[in-house]
Amino acid sequence: MRRFAADRAKRLLFRSLFSSAATPSAPFSSSPAAAAAAAIDSAARSVTVDTINPKVLKCEYVVRGEIVSHAQRLQLELQTKPGCHPFEEILYCNIGNPQSLGQQPVTFFREVLALCDHPSLLDQSETHALFSADAVERAWKILDAIPGRATGAYSHSQGIKGLRDAIAAGIAERDGFPANPDDIFLTDGASPAVHTMMQLLIRSEKDGILCPIPQYPLYSASIALHGGSLVPYYLDESTGWGLEISELKKQLEDARSKGITVRALVVINPGNPTGQVLAEENQKDIVDFCKNEGLVLLADEVYQENIYVEDKKFNSFKKIARSMGYDDAHLSLVSFQSVSKGYYGECGKRGGYMEVTGFNAEVREQIYKVASVNLCSNISGQILASLVMNPPKVGDESYESFDAEKSGILSSLARRAKALEDAFNSLEGVTCNKAEGAMYLFPRLHLPSKAIEAAKAVDAVPDAFYARRLLDATGIVVVPGSGFGQVPGTWHIRCTILPQEDKIPDIISRLGAFHESFMEEFCD
Amino acid sequence: MRRFAADRAKRLLFRSLFSSAATPSAPFSSSPAAAAAAAIDSAARSVTVDTINPKVLKCEYVVRGEIVSHAQRLQLELQTKPGCHPFEEILYCNIGNPQSLGQQPVTFFREVLALCDHPSLLDQSETHALFSADAVERAWKILDAIPGRATGAYSHSQGIKGLRDAIAAGIAERDGFPANPDDIFLTDGASPAVHTMMQLLIRSEKDGILCPIPQYPLYSASIALHGGSLVPYYLDESTGWGLEISELKKQLEDARSKGITVRALVVINPGNPTGQVLAEENQKDIVDFCKNEGLVLLADEVYQENIYVEDKKFNSFKKIARSMGYDDAHLSLVSFQSVSKGYYGECGKRGGYMEVTGFNAEVREQIYKVASVNLCSNISGQILASLVMNPPKVGDESYESFDAEKSGILSSLARRAKALEDAFNSLEGVTCNKAEGAMYLFPRLHLPSKAIEAAKAVDAVPDAFYARRLLDATGIVVVPGSGFGQVPGTWHIRCTILPQEDKIPDIISRLGAFHESFMEEFCD
């Protein structure tokens, strides 16, 4: 199955989930009807879907695509006509957005942010009744690291030096190898960092980026926006989404034989949407592969705190490379981290960084220049990035409550992952690998041929058809696997493990009832 | 003078300020020596300046370019060897970053931000001693507008609906014409919004964007990064940086005759770096020009609160268009606003929005999709954008202190603008138009030919040579006019009006002494 040509897979990957026949108002379609409507408009104005940048048209981001627009419509209907659907609320399991589903922010982090936002609090006696002593102390330390204590000023293009120092220290403590604050570029979440690297590396469609399939669609979207070629490598579902070097080599050679210059390899560890955690030996092979083939290793490590199984642990690719004796001279490596994931889940703060190692000074200056055009990332996000990489330690006043919040969230996520994994595996024709880490399950749907035919009849991709039916029946929003890429002929959905624990039994029961009725309707 | 060919002007615009001969370690250069160093590196790795995206290489952003890197080096030297330079501190007049130079944030805004960052404060009795009642009330209102009160969740891709409602209401109140919250896209400052529009409109180098010369180099950088052509139109220095429709027409026709499809017109009002405020009649002509020629009007209105002269006022282009009876069917118009400027100057918060009107539903969906790929802008920035468009009103508890802070900042900026304008005009061979608005003066330097020769001898652009000498002698950082574009053969510098008022006399005196000695050294 995995021998399908790369371009076939790419066509499938970028294909709209629903054509205009199924949903005339579907966003992102460019049907003949839409083109006609556009032609009428162009009489008045020059900007139509036919005259905009085709790279924008080509880009897809299914995590917030048609299924979510439909869910938003249903939610509006529920508000205006309560009882009009067979469910009372929409459950957004489409996106890794923990706090939208009730996860509470970590108190210490928010205390420090509030104090840095309104530093005059630090001079007030009442403040000590409201904030922990170490939050006050940390806020002072952060303010002292900011020139003029000005949290409202643009910072250095890479971020405030003192915060980068704290992050580098956190990385060094995590890895046992030194980190350089000058290698840190603070960003508004991980997404802009990924865009920056794609912008740097991609010259034309002849430049390729090796990406896992399934992948997080930020990568396919960013490659499309920057006009490059996604070179897929398939994760092996039968071995728990294993990443095989032979597959990397095969796809690299295949791309090269087509005249593609492969510039980088994207690895998402822990995996999104697939949830696997790479073994150390596997990571070493990946590092060697990149080193030997002259590829930049783009390591998406935003789920580094999200590990739910005893026998796996997170190793950064930088730690692996350094432990092999490789330094800047051997490997170009970019590690992406975000405040949106982990136990913190601070998606709305848009904080993150990339650690950029193994590029020469001239290229680094180009990255610095691109960062400078956007001035700097938001200071609250910068502060938060320094906090997640340097949280309270044993002995700090906040440590016990902080640790209770952290381990409460992580252990609950582990229980939810297991419960949902078991639930999916209990369904007829569904198989689901373990979520060793990250925030998602990616069960495979072995759909009856009648369901596939029914999907085709409304010009829908089968897993999108299933996801739409699931939403309409239960209010549960999942993302069709086709938005992430999958071995052609296989169908999946991505479902987050993020609903609060007390909702899980109801979700499982609704899911089971829907699935049973779906399979009954379409049984062969 | 203004008849120089467009491509000549563009070459000058994108040219490095200093070649490698003058500063071997200069960032952003691509000298033969640098190329050789890169070739050595490429043996080990595949990424060099010769193999990265040439659009990245081409892009320049002088506001944080070589002159600032040099200033940072001097600052470090001052820290390690006090007294090693003829000044005690570096004065960053290169960038509109008010709080870095001591401007204090507006108290009400920061109160609300702190409360939203740490909402549990709202339940504590001590909070009422620390925060104004209307800040507490506003924080509740904002939290109630956020689904689940989750300030740590990704929001809707365009930003939180309730905040967009507040912004639309603020626009409607400002303009006297309705605004639609669905037209608002909240962004991390104005820069990402500009990139989004350039990304949408530019297909290739055959697509052009009409930009003022001088311009804020975000525009040239963004056009370069997206692979389009900057079509310059010259502002007329002799009429206070007047914007003449005849010039727009001439440059549009010239570009079209070269096969360029001009897609949009950028207007910065109040002007950056030029400080002029457009008259209403002029704006009407611009609107008609865009309407008749089918151009998108990209209105950079981030300095809308920064007006320092009695006889001018800010009119948004949307208000002008609506007052002419033009609606969505007549004109595609995008207005950019930011929390970084005005009296608030909250650069580090990275808040802003674009109001997108006059695009059809399909194109709007494409803009929404691109916004979705980046998930959302940071929530604190979103909140702040809603606050600056809906600040305390007469009768609110905070109103008097808020108004005192606001008018204190704006009146001080007006005095500083006038004092620096007069100072520049008092210098031999320097003429300086009034800063009617924005945050900059853009004096013209009539340099002696010996100074121009001396600059050429070190392969430097003459105004960059002057700026570098000024920095080395006084610690004052200004940006060479060549980074903004200027009529070929004329030389300028951009200097912000942002140093605190008590520093202005010293700046003026240092500037005067330096200039006198410079003119003496190079007198013809």
Side-chain angles (χ1 to χ4, degrees):
Chain A
M1 289 288 254
R2 294 197 282 108
R3 302 198 192 287
F4 277 70
D7 46 359
R8 165 91 204 279
K10 277 175 58 193
R11 276 204 310 279
L12 283 166
L13 189 63
F14 291 128
R15 188 174 149 191
S16 281
L17 295 178
F18 289 88
S19 83
S20 61
T23 53
S25 66
F28 319 162
S29 69
S30 45
S31 64
I40 293 164
D41 264 325
S42 70
R45 292 187 303 283
S46 66
V47 183
T48 69
V49 285
D50 297 322
T51 65
I52 65 168
N53 179 358
K55 293 171 190 163
V56 168
L57 271 185
K58 190 178 172 191
C59 140
E60 292 288 344
Y61 188 67
V62 75
V63 172
R64 286 201 163 178
E66 158 60 17
I67 191 92
V68 180
S69 302
H70 182 61
Q72 286 166 345
R73 284 192 293 273
L74 295 182
Q75 188 166 25
L76 218 61
E77 287 168 17
L78 281 175
Q79 282 161 12
T80 49
K81 285 182 283 175
C84 68
H85 292 291
F87 43 84
E88 278 167 22
E89 63 170 344
I90 302 290
L91 264 166
Y92 287 98
C93 299
N94 58 300
I95 189 165
N97 193 8
Q99 295 190 29
S100 76
L101 293 178
Q103 182 175 309
Q104 291 305 300
V106 172
T107 307
F108 177 82
F109 296 165
R110 293 305 191 98
E111 285 183 318
V112 176
L113 287 183
L115 291 167
C116 291
D117 264 348
H118 193 37
S120 67
L121 288 173
L122 291 163
D123 301 323
Q124 312 286 321
S125 58
E126 291 90 346
T127 297
H128 298 281
L130 291 170
F131 294 85
S132 63
D134 52 341
V136 170
E137 194 187 328
R138 184 69 74 96
W140 274 122
K141 200 172 161 189
I142 287 168
L143 289 170
D144 285 341
I146 300 177
R149 293 186 180 159
T151 53
Y154 294 128
S155 72
H156 184 282
S157 304
Q158 289 183 234
I160 293 162
K161 174 64 165 58
L163 302 179
R164 286 186 280 130
D165 289 342
I167 290 168
I171 294 171
E173 197 182 317
R174 181 194 70 192
D175 291 348
F177 291 94
N180 184 347
D182 292 341
D183 294 343
I184 309 292
F185 287 74
L186 283 152
T187 51
D188 292 310
S191 304
V194 170
H195 286 309
T196 297
M197 291 313 301
M198 295 300 175
Q199 188 161 48
L200 186 83
L201 294 172
I202 295 173
R203 293 162 293 188
S204 75
E205 72 282 358
K206 303 303 280 178
D207 280 333
I209 309 289
L210 268 163
C211 283
I213 296 294
Q215 52 104 32
Y216 173 50
L218 166 66
Y219 294 98
S220 51
S222 189
I223 292 167
L225 284 173
H226 293 100
S229 290
L230 186 151
V231 179
Y233 66 91
Y234 288 85
L235 302 174
D236 184 4
E237 185 162 15
S238 68
T239 58
W241 300 111
L243 194 169
E244 291 167 28
I245 301 297
S246 60
E247 166 72 2
L248 290 179
K249 283 187 177 150
K250 185 173 83 72
Q251 299 292 358
L252 176 67
E253 278 159 28
D254 188 45
R256 284 180 176 162
S257 75
K258 289 173 182 151
I260 302 283
T261 303
V262 179
R263 312 230 52 194
L265 169 71
V266 172
V267 179
I268 310 174
N269 180 46
N272 174 7
T274 41
Q276 83 286 13
V277 177
L278 296 178
E280 196 174 329
E281 283 309 308
N282 200 185
Q283 289 185 272
K284 285 183 180 173
D285 292 341
I286 293 165
V287 165
D288 266 329
F289 173 76
C290 288
K291 174 181 163 288
N292 296 337
E293 300 291 352
L295 303 181
V296 178
L297 177 50
L298 300 174
D300 182 334
E301 300 181 325
V302 303
Y303 297 100
Q304 57 189 263
E305 299 273 5
N306 299 93
I307 310 248
Y308 309 120
V309 288
E310 286 295 320
D311 56 334
K312 289 286 180 83
K313 71 184 281 273
F314 171 76
N315 292 299
S316 78
F317 271 104
K318 180 151 158 272
K319 174 183 172 181
I320 298 292
R322 296 293 175 269
S323 73
M324 296 166 78
Y326 297 155
D327 60 19
D328 276 347
H330 303 93
L331 183 72
S332 301
L333 168 63
V334 184
S335 166
F336 303 99
Q337 164 67 322
S338 166
V339 304
S340 302
K341 310 302 172 187
Y343 56 90
Y344 15 94
E346 291 277 18
C347 304
K349 295 296 172 187
R350 310 310 291 123
Y353 70 79
M354 56 177 179
E355 185 188 12
V356 177
T357 55
F359 291 85
N360 70 35
E362 290 176 316
V363 173
R364 284 274 294 267
E365 280 158 9
Q366 296 298 320
I367 301 173
Y368 175 82
K369 182 178 66 177
V370 171
S372 294
V373 173
N374 287 319
L375 299 161
C376 68
S377 62
N378 84 86
I379 305 297
S380 294
Q382 292 191 24
I383 291 171
L384 196 47
S386 82
L387 296 175
V388 305
M389 296 308 286
N390 184 19
K393 301 281 189 295
V394 178
D396 294 346
E397 181 183 303
S398 290
Y399 179 75
E400 278 189 32
S401 61
F402 162 79
D403 193 57
E405 291 178 37
K406 172 182 169 175
S407 54
I409 290 166
L410 289 174
S411 59
S412 170
L413 285 173
R415 285 191 298 273
R416 288 178 253 172
K418 187 74 179 75
L420 286 167
E421 175 203 324
D422 290 345
F424 279 118
N425 277 319
S426 75
L427 302 179
E428 182 196 346
V430 176
T431 52
C432 185
N433 279 327
K434 195 189 288 275
E436 299 175 332
M439 294 180 169
Y440 317 97
L441 291 162
F442 198 66
R444 177 169 173 184
L445 312 174
H446 304 259
L447 296 173
S449 52
K450 277 189 186 158
I452 293 171
E453 282 157 28
K456 277 185 186 151
V458 294
D459 210 3
V461 178
D463 51 15
F465 177 78
Y466 181 92
R468 175 75 170 251
R469 285 291 200 100
L470 174 65
L471 171 56
D472 286 336
T474 66
I476 300 169
V477 192
V478 299
V479 187
S482 40
F484 304 86
Q486 53 200 348
V487 171
T490 70
W491 311 111
H492 300 78
I493 53 171
R494 188 186 81 164
C495 180
T496 74
I497 58 169
L498 297 175
Q500 288 299 289
E501 236 171 323
D502 57 358
K503 299 212 166 169
I504 299 286
D506 179 51
I507 289 172
I508 289 174
S509 125
R510 285 201 261 168
L511 190 64
F514 160 76
H515 188 78
E516 197 178 334
S517 112
F518 182 92
M519 294 301 272
E520 209 169 271
E521 182 178 350
F522 297 106
C523 71
D524 289 325
Chain B
M1 290 287 257
R2 294 197 285 108
R3 304 197 191 289
F4 277 70
D7 47 357
R8 166 93 203 280
K10 277 176 57 193
R11 274 204 310 279
L12 284 166
L13 189 65
F14 290 127
R15 187 173 150 191
S16 282
L17 296 178
F18 289 89
S19 83
S20 60
T23 52
S25 66
F28 318 160
S29 68
S30 45
S31 65
I40 293 165
D41 264 324
S42 69
R45 291 188 303 281
S46 67
V47 183
T48 70
V49 285
D50 297 321
T51 65
I52 65 169
N53 180 357
K55 292 172 191 164
V56 168
L57 271 185
K58 191 179 172 192
C59 140
E60 293 288 343
Y61 187 69
V62 75
V63 171
R64 287 201 163 178
E66 158 60 17
I67 192 91
V68 181
S69 302
H70 183 60
Q72 286 165 345
R73 284 193 293 273
L74 295 182
Q75 188 166 27
L76 219 60
E77 288 168 16
L78 282 175
Q79 282 161 13
T80 50
K81 285 182 283 177
C84 67
H85 291 293
F87 43 84
E88 280 168 19
E89 62 169 345
I90 302 290
L91 263 165
Y92 288 97
C93 299
N94 57 299
I95 189 165
N97 193 9
Q99 294 189 29
S100 76
L101 294 177
Q103 182 176 309
Q104 291 306 300
V106 172
T107 307
F108 177 81
F109 295 165
R110 292 304 191 99
E111 286 183 319
V112 176
L113 287 183
L115 291 166
C116 291
D117 265 347
H118 193 37
S120 67
L121 289 174
L122 290 163
D123 301 324
Q124 311 288 319
S125 57
E126 291 89 347
T127 297
H128 298 280
L130 290 170
F131 293 85
S132 62
D134 52 341
V136 170
E137 193 186 329
R138 184 69 75 98
W140 274 123
K141 201 172 161 188
I142 288 168
L143 289 169
D144 286 341
I146 301 177
R149 292 185 181 160
T151 54
Y154 295 128
S155 71
H156 184 282
S157 303
Q158 290 182 233
I160 293 161
K161 174 65 165 57
L163 302 179
R164 287 186 279 129
D165 289 341
I167 290 168
I171 294 170
E173 197 182 317
R174 180 194 71 193
D175 291 347
F177 292 93
N180 184 346
D182 291 341
D183 293 343
I184 309 291
F185 287 74
L186 283 151
T187 51
D188 292 311
S191 304
V194 169
H195 286 309
T196 297
M197 291 311 302
M198 294 301 174
Q199 189 161 48
L200 185 84
L201 294 172
I202 295 173
R203 292 162 294 187
S204 75
E205 72 283 359
K206 303 303 281 176
D207 279 334
I209 308 290
L210 268 164
C211 283
I213 297 295
Q215 52 104 31
Y216 173 50
L218 166 66
Y219 293 97
S220 51
S222 189
I223 292 167
L225 283 172
H226 292 101
S229 290
L230 186 151
V231 179
Y233 66 92
Y234 288 84
L235 303 175
D236 184 4
E237 185 163 14
S238 67
T239 57
W241 301 112
L243 195 169
E244 291 166 28
I245 302 296
S246 60
E247 166 72 3
L248 291 180
K249 282 186 176 151
K250 184 172 85 69
Q251 299 291 358
L252 176 67
E253 279 160 26
D254 188 44
R256 283 179 176 164
S257 75
K258 289 173 183 153
I260 302 283
T261 303
V262 179
R263 312 229 53 194
L265 168 70
V266 172
V267 179
I268 311 174
N269 180 46
N272 175 7
T274 41
Q276 82 286 12
V277 177
L278 296 178
E280 197 173 329
E281 283 309 308
N282 199 184
Q283 289 184 273
K284 285 183 180 173
D285 291 342
I286 294 165
V287 164
D288 265 328
F289 173 76
C290 288
K291 174 182 163 288
N292 296 337
E293 301 291 351
L295 304 181
V296 177
L297 177 50
L298 300 174
D300 181 335
E301 301 182 324
V302 302
Y303 297 99
Q304 58 189 264
E305 299 274 5
N306 298 95
I307 309 249
Y308 309 120
V309 288
E310 287 294 321
D311 57 333
K312 289 286 180 79
K313 71 185 282 274
F314 171 76
N315 292 299
S316 78
F317 271 103
K318 180 151 157 271
K319 173 183 172 181
I320 297 291
R322 296 294 175 268
S323 73
M324 297 166 78
Y326 298 155
D327 62 19
D328 276 348
H330 303 94
L331 183 73
S332 301
L333 168 63
V334 184
S335 165
F336 302 100
Q337 164 67 323
S338 167
V339 304
S340 302
K341 310 302 172 188
Y343 57 90
Y344 16 94
E346 291 278 18
C347 303
K349 295 297 173 188
R350 312 308 292 121
Y353 69 81
M354 56 177 179
E355 186 188 12
V356 177
T357 55
F359 292 84
N360 70 34
E362 289 177 316
V363 173
R364 284 275 295 266
E365 279 158 9
Q366 296 298 319
I367 301 172
Y368 175 82
K369 181 177 67 177
V370 172
S372 294
V373 173
N374 287 319
L375 300 161
C376 68
S377 62
N378 83 86
I379 305 296
S380 295
Q382 292 191 26
I383 291 171
L384 197 46
S386 83
L387 295 176
V388 306
M389 296 309 286
N390 184 18
K393 301 282 189 296
V394 179
D396 293 347
E397 182 184 302
S398 288
Y399 179 74
E400 277 189 31
S401 63
F402 162 78
D403 193 56
E405 292 179 38
K406 171 182 170 176
S407 55
I409 289 166
L410 288 174
S411 59
S412 170
L413 284 172
R415 286 191 298 273
R416 288 179 254 171
K418 186 74 180 75
L420 286 168
E421 175 202 325
D422 290 346
F424 279 118
N425 277 319
S426 76
L427 302 179
E428 181 195 348
V430 176
T431 51
C432 185
N433 279 329
K434 196 189 286 277
E436 298 176 331
M439 295 182 169
Y440 316 98
L441 290 162
F442 198 65
R444 177 170 174 184
L445 312 175
H446 303 260
L447 296 174
S449 52
K450 277 188 187 158
I452 294 171
E453 282 157 28
K456 277 186 185 151
V458 294
D459 211 4
V461 178
D463 51 15
F465 178 78
Y466 180 93
R468 175 73 170 251
R469 285 291 200 99
L470 174 66
L471 170 57
D472 286 336
T474 66
I476 301 169
V477 192
V478 298
V479 187
S482 40
F484 303 87
Q486 53 200 348
V487 171
T490 70
W491 310 111
H492 299 77
I493 53 172
R494 187 186 81 164
C495 180
T496 73
I497 58 169
L498 297 175
Q500 288 298 289
E501 235 172 323
D502 58 358
K503 298 212 166 167
I504 298 287
D506 180 51
I507 289 173
I508 289 174
S509 125
R510 285 202 261 168
L511 190 63
F514 160 76
H515 188 78
E516 196 179 333
S517 115
F518 183 92
M519 294 302 273
E520 208 169 271
E521 182 179 348
F522 296 107
C523 70
D524 290 325

